[in-house]
Amino acid sequence: MEPGTVVDSLLSGACVFFTLGMFSTGLSDLRHMRVTRSVDSVQFLPFLTTDVNNLSWLSYGVLKGDGTLIVVNVVGAVLQTLYILVYLHYCPRKQALLLQTASLLGVLLLGCGYFWLMVPDPDTRLQQLGLFCSVFTISMYLSPLADLAKVIKTQSTQRLSYSLTIATLLTSASWTLYGFRLKDPYIMVPNLPGIFTSFIRLWLFWKYPQEQDKNYRLLQT
């Protein structure tokens, strides 16, 4: 086996392993909802946006013919859809959540219709779809910055997950290297903010250790 093929296989395996590990962190929320039969302290929007992100990258993977993207995002979409269904099952107020879900899925369907019907050239379609996926992924990675600012303000890391931070760092790093290897900026660039925000989280864990956290009550106000 050629060295290049070995590297590609290792990077592909790392992307699949670390990404599915990151997606599986939602299983703890799933267990919490089933045990408590409630959605207390579990957020809905991350499940929904991640699901839409998975479906978008799945379309890009199919158009590009990339098996790694296809496998990861098929499994990811199934898991996120499961989390959404369980959340809706235990949530007492479903109307607003159903409206959010329908709105985002509507945007996704309109986007798919545009890319597949209005952009006949495959190369142009791939570039535009890749740009859309990249922008969406970057917005997802940057959206928690407000929470990080609140962590600094309250000097509390109780709202952060250390395991999710490590999973995000490894996932972002593996996809960045994978995109660099393929010379695909649409895969490489959007994962750089994931590395950046993960290092910020690790710095916050170092600066405000949870064992010494005395300001957690401020988050409840």
Side-chain angles (χ1 to χ4, degrees):
M1 184 178 292
E2 297 181 359
T5 304
V6 174
V7 172
D8 292 340
S9 299
L10 290 175
L11 282 177
S12 177
C15 289
V16 173
F17 180 78
F18 291 135
T19 308
L20 295 186
M22 183 177 68
F23 290 154
S24 66
T25 57
L27 292 173
S28 60
D29 289 331
L30 180 66
R31 182 177 180 276
H32 173 79
M33 289 186 287
R34 292 189 60 188
V35 170
T36 63
R37 303 186 67 82
S38 71
V39 295
D40 181 45
S41 76
V42 179
Q43 296 183 353
F44 177 75
L45 194 57
F47 295 151
L48 181 58
T49 54
T50 304
D51 201 5
V52 172
N53 193 51
N54 287 147
L55 293 173
S56 301
W57 280 110
L58 176 59
S59 299
Y60 182 79
V62 170
L63 187 59
K64 188 179 177 67
D66 190 307
T68 304
L69 283 172
I70 293 173
V71 170
V72 164
N73 288 288
V74 164
V75 177
V78 170
L79 284 175
Q80 300 304 322
T81 301
L82 175 62
Y83 301 153
I84 289 172
L85 292 176
V86 173
Y87 192 104
L88 291 174
H89 177 72
Y90 291 114
C91 180
R93 298 179 180 179
K94 299 179 174 59
Q95 185 173 1
L97 300 182
L98 289 173
L99 182 59
Q100 289 181 0
T101 304
S103 299
L104 270 181
L105 289 179
V107 171
L108 181 63
L109 289 175
L110 287 175
C112 288
Y114 167 77
F115 290 124
W116 290 96
L117 299 177
M118 304 301 292
V119 186
D121 181 63
D123 292 335
T124 303
R125 185 190 307 157
L126 185 67
Q127 292 174 2
Q128 293 188 5
L129 182 57
L131 181 61
F132 171 81
C133 293
S134 297
V135 172
F136 196 89
T137 301
I138 290 173
S139 66
M140 284 184 58
Y141 277 133
L142 295 182
S143 60
L145 288 179
D147 289 335
L148 298 184
K150 190 171 184 179
V151 168
I152 295 174
K153 181 179 179 181
T154 61
Q155 299 183 9
S156 167
T157 54
Q158 290 290 341
R159 69 188 297 123
L160 299 182
S161 168
Y162 187 80
S163 60
L164 180 58
T165 299
I166 296 298
T168 301
L169 175 61
L170 294 174
T171 300
S172 300
S174 60
W175 280 110
T176 299
L177 292 174
Y178 185 75
F180 179 79
R181 180 72 180 176
L182 295 182
K183 296 180 173 59
D184 189 332
Y186 302 118
I187 297 177
M188 180 179 64
V189 173
N191 285 284
L192 293 174
I195 298 175
F196 174 70
T197 56
S198 295
F199 277 120
I200 293 178
R201 288 168 182 260
L202 290 174
W203 177 77
L204 290 173
F205 278 114
W206 171 79
K207 187 171 181 62
Y208 308 118
Q210 292 185 349
E211 295 80 6
Q212 301 175 9
D213 190 350
K214 299 179 181 180
N215 298 307
Y216 177 60
R217 293 179 182 178
L218 294 175
L219 294 172
Q220 309 304 314
T221 60

